[in-house]
Amino acid sequence: MSSLELVNIKKRYGDLDILKGIDISVEAGEFLVLVGPSGCGKSTLLNIIAGLDTATGGDVRIGGRSVRDDHPSERDIAMVFQSYALYPNMSVAQNISFGMEMRKVPKEERDLAIQEVAKLLQIQHLLARRPGQLSGGQRQRVGIARIIYHDREVLVLDEATSALDNATELLVSDAVKTLGGHKTLIIIAHRLSTIEHCDRIYMMERGRVVKSGTYEEVVLGTSPGIPINAESRAS
Ligand code: ADP
Ligand code: MG
């Protein structure tokens, strides 16, 4: 069963058609990348998936069930930028551990998970610090470390919103792939470094999916001058 299904998603603002019928199907555990020029509707689509925006038409299904009328908190989705609000009075380790504690994950398991994710995201030396003692980039990694152990099945990351630097972006995709296991990851990306690691790419243009497939199919089979190449070289 598909982990996430978008069926003929449409979005209209006034008389502007922003999304013109998007069909995407993601299997559980897949790492999917959305690419396309600025303004083509990527963020709008992610917000509709997460429930922060409503579609004008179509359906969003998770595990085969329509979540179109569900509040964001009721959907099995974690959006990365939401995790940036770290608890200021807790250490980095406690911040990472908190969700697991709430779910009654045993302490030994939590400690192991913290060490594991800290190593992958290269934040071992920061575990005892409080969020106020971290740089923006370090806070971002902690936020990401936290959602990897979120109990939600689908992780959604809008790169533009989160402004991940190159190195962090690579670490994140590696960490989610290594530790996320069954989790489905959808990321809006610009850099080939991220795109190379994904299972599938959906390329959007003016509110439509114009190409989808593996990295080899979509990127290597693309004619020069397609925006993702230009953006990647620039960054
Ligand atoms: P992307 O993330 O691909 O850069 P967006 O999804 O942010 O694109 O935006 C897609 C299009 O929808 C843009 O043309 C943008 O101007 C338009 N848009 C986004 N939000 C609104 C809104 N609230 N009202 C009107 N137009 C909007
Ligand atoms: Mg955007």
Side-chain angles (χ1 to χ4, degrees):
M1 184 189 291
S2 291
S3 162
L4 175 73
E5 242 179 316
L6 305 180
V7 187
N8 199 20
I9 295 291
K10 293 183 178 159
K11 180 69 182 180
R12 172 171 265 260
Y13 284 117
D15 51 10
L16 278 181
D17 286 318
I18 303 296
L19 297 176
K20 300 167 185 162
I22 303 277
D23 292 291
I24 289 180
S25 168
V26 194
E27 301 301 322
E30 262 190 331
F31 176 7
L32 187 136
V33 168
L34 279 181
V35 290
S38 179
C40 72
K42 304 179 297 293
S43 295
T44 304
L45 188 62
L46 277 203
N47 288 337
I48 288 171
I49 295 172
L52 305 176
D53 199 346
T54 41
T56 319
D59 200 9
V60 179
R61 294 179 195 147
I62 296 176
R65 191 180 70 83
S66 173
V67 297
R68 199 179 37 197
D69 301 322
D70 292 359
H71 188 266
S73 63
E74 296 167 337
R75 301 184 182 198
D76 210 1
I77 293 176
M79 201 142 166
V80 165
F81 70 78
Q82 294 175 332
S83 64
Y84 288 171
L86 301 173
Y87 301 108
N89 299 322
M90 292 185 190
S91 70
V92 165
Q94 287 166 332
N95 264 284
I96 297 172
S97 175
F98 187 72
M100 290 185 277
E101 279 177 56
M102 291 294 102
R103 295 199 308 282
K104 311 227 183 309
V105 175
K107 181 161 187 333
E108 307 82 75
E109 210 177 300
R110 291 197 317 257
D111 289 345
L112 211 64
I114 293 167
Q115 290 305 326
E116 203 175 33
V117 75
K119 191 169 164 216
L120 272 170
L121 289 172
Q122 297 171 11
I123 51 173
Q124 298 108 305
H125 58 298
L126 307 174
L127 287 174
R129 290 201 202 168
R130 309 225 163 195
Q133 300 167 302
L134 303 176
S135 74
Q138 290 170 335
R139 269 202 287 274
Q140 204 170 42
R141 290 183 194 197
V142 175
I144 286 154
R146 261 190 1 175
I147 70 148
I148 285 175
Y149 293 112
H150 214 293
D151 60 343
R152 303 206 167 182
E153 149 132 12
V154 182
L155 306 183
V156 175
L157 200 153
D158 189 337
E159 191 193 12
T161 316
S162 58
L164 292 181
D165 60 61
N166 230 329
T168 308
E169 188 182 282
L170 254 183
L171 287 175
V172 170
S173 49
D174 279 355
V176 173
K177 260 205 127 150
T178 310
L179 302 177
H182 60 288
K183 283 191 202 294
T184 304
L185 173 68
I186 303 174
I187 176 169
I188 294 181
H190 303 292
R191 301 177 189 97
L192 288 174
S193 53
T194 304
I195 296 167
E196 269 174 322
H197 283 77
C198 71
D199 296 311
R200 229 147 20 116
I201 296 172
Y202 280 84
M203 189 186 285
M204 287 174 63
E205 258 176 50
R206 282 182 241 110
R208 291 184 205 282
V209 173
V210 291
K211 234 177 197 186
S212 69
T214 61
Y215 174 81
E216 286 74 18
E217 289 162 350
V218 174
V219 179
L220 303 182
T222 297
S223 57
I226 291 274
I228 57 163
N229 287 324
E231 279 185 57
S232 306
R233 287 198 199 103
S235 61

